[in-house]
């Protein structure tokens, strides 16, 4: 999901509809528990004393897993209070509430002290402030030797059809190949440890498919609301483009 901080009423309204829609699904971006754990497997030495920040955590798909599988303390940050509320509920239900804190704030100015975290985690969210800007900005919050793990929309091929190129170049001009993303990571002062392409089910089973039912409910509730109907059409269009061009577009976990 995207963000755009135009401060007018229509945009604000868009946001509340977008939040309502995404509150009804477990993930607000492509990913899966298996891929989160695969990425976590590249990180050594976490203990109950370790601290992890999940930036753009949404309703907590990765924050909950990270807390459960590491024993570390997770600070989960997002712009939207309704997402954080759902994350807190899920943390209580799964007995993880004492190891997850939620912070309402922006990832471009998080209220964190320097060298606080062993790991910075961010799935499907760093694009909101830009990959390079985010990596540069966040580095100060990492302890020495700490890790950053992010997913980033990436081209899987060097050439691509105009329709998909145009859609994503407009939606996210920083989109690039995975190789270039890794170069950028290095230029920002990090050493690459691992990178992999998220499997197809991260997009389908865990992201676009649950949204079909969400759209059905949403259409029922907001029938006749032009903004809501446009929103649904946009979400469906993005899903259809993915289906058509999935060999060209993917999401890298670096
Ligand atoms: N990590 C979650 C959510 C991904 S969607 C998952 O994988 O399911 C992107 C998230 O980033 C949304 O929850 C959105 O509210 C949040 N977001 C967008 N811009 C943000 C910003 N500037 N600061 C903090 N969070 C932001």
């Amino acid at each position: 999901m995207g963000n755009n901080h135009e401060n007018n009423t229509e945009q604000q309204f868009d946001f509340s509809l977008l939040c309502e829609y995404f509150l009804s699904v477990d993930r607000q971006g492509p990913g899966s528990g298996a891929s989160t754990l695969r990425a976590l497997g590249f990180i050594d030495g976490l203990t109950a004393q370790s601290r992890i920040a999940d930036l753009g955590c949404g309703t907590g798909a990765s924050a909950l897993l990270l807390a459960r599988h590491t024993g570390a303390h997770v600070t989960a940050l997002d712009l939207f209070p309704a997402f954080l509320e759902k994350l807190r509920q899920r943390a209580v239900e799964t007995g993880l509430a004492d190891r997850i804190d939620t912070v309402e704030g922006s990832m471009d100015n998080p209220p964190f002290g320097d060298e606080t975290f062993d790991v910075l985690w961010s799935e499907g969210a760093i694009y909101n402030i830009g990959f390079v800007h985010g990596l540069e900005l966040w580095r100060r919050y990492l302890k020495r030797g700490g890790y950053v793990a992010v997913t980033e929309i990436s081209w899987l091929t060097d050439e691509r059809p105009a329709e998909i190129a145009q859609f994503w170049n407009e939606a996210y001009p920083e989109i690039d190949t995975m190789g270039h993303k890794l170069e950028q990571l290095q230029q920002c002062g990090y050493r690459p440890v691992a990178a992999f392409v998220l499997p197809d089910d991260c997009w389908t089973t865990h992201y676009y498919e649950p949204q079909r039912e969400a759209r059905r409910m949403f259409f029922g509730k907001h029938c006749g609301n032009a903004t809501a109907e446009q929103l649904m059409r946009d979400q469906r269009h993005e899903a259809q483009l993915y289906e058509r061009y999935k060999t060209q577009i993917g999401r890298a976990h670096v």
Side-chain angles (χ1 to χ4, degrees), residues 43-47 49-55 66 72-77 99-103 106-107 109-122 137-149 190:
I43 298 180
D44 296 325
L46 293 178
T47 69
Q49 276 66 51
S50 302
R51 295 197 58 184
I52 303 175
D54 187 341
L55 298 118
L66 293 170
H73 189 92
V74 177
T75 301
L77 174 132
R99 280 196 281 118
I100 300 181
D101 278 333
T102 58
V103 178
S106 180
M107 62 175 89
N109 187 21
F112 301 154
D114 289 353
E115 300 190 27
T116 302
F117 295 101
D118 301 275
V119 180
L120 299 176
W121 204 274
S122 185
L137 185 75
W138 295 350
R139 202 164 158 232
R140 56 187 290 197
Y141 308 118
L142 262 189
K143 293 180 192 165
R144 259 164 209 271
Y147 291 80
V148 64
Y190 300 89

Side-chain angles (χ1 to χ4, degrees), residues 140-188:
R140 56 187 290 197
Y141 308 118
L142 262 189
K143 293 180 192 165
R144 259 164 209 271
Y147 291 80
V148 64
V150 303
T151 65
E152 169 78 341
I153 186 110
S154 304
W155 297 122
L156 302 181
T157 53
D158 287 332
E159 291 187 14
R160 55 210 66 101
E163 186 182 24
I164 189 74
Q166 195 182 338
F167 178 85
W168 278 107
N169 283 330
E170 268 171 31
Y172 183 50
E174 244 190 271
I175 188 168
D176 211 327
T177 59
M178 202 164 150
H180 281 136
K181 292 289 167 184
L182 284 171
E183 278 170 24
Q184 290 169 343
L185 185 91
Q186 278 175 292
Q187 282 156 9
C188 293

Side-chain angles (χ1 to χ4, degrees), residues 14-57:
D14 261 352
F15 267 127
S16 68
L17 283 174
L18 201 62
C19 275
E20 182 190 326
Y21 174 70
F22 275 105
L23 263 178
S24 66
V25 288
D26 275 350
R27 288 193 161 265
Q28 291 74 43
S32 71
S35 288
T36 298
L37 294 181
R38 182 173 171 200
L40 187 61
F42 294 105
I43 298 180
D44 296 325
L46 293 178
T47 69
Q49 276 66 51
S50 302
R51 295 197 58 184
I52 303 175
D54 187 341
L55 298 118
C57 60

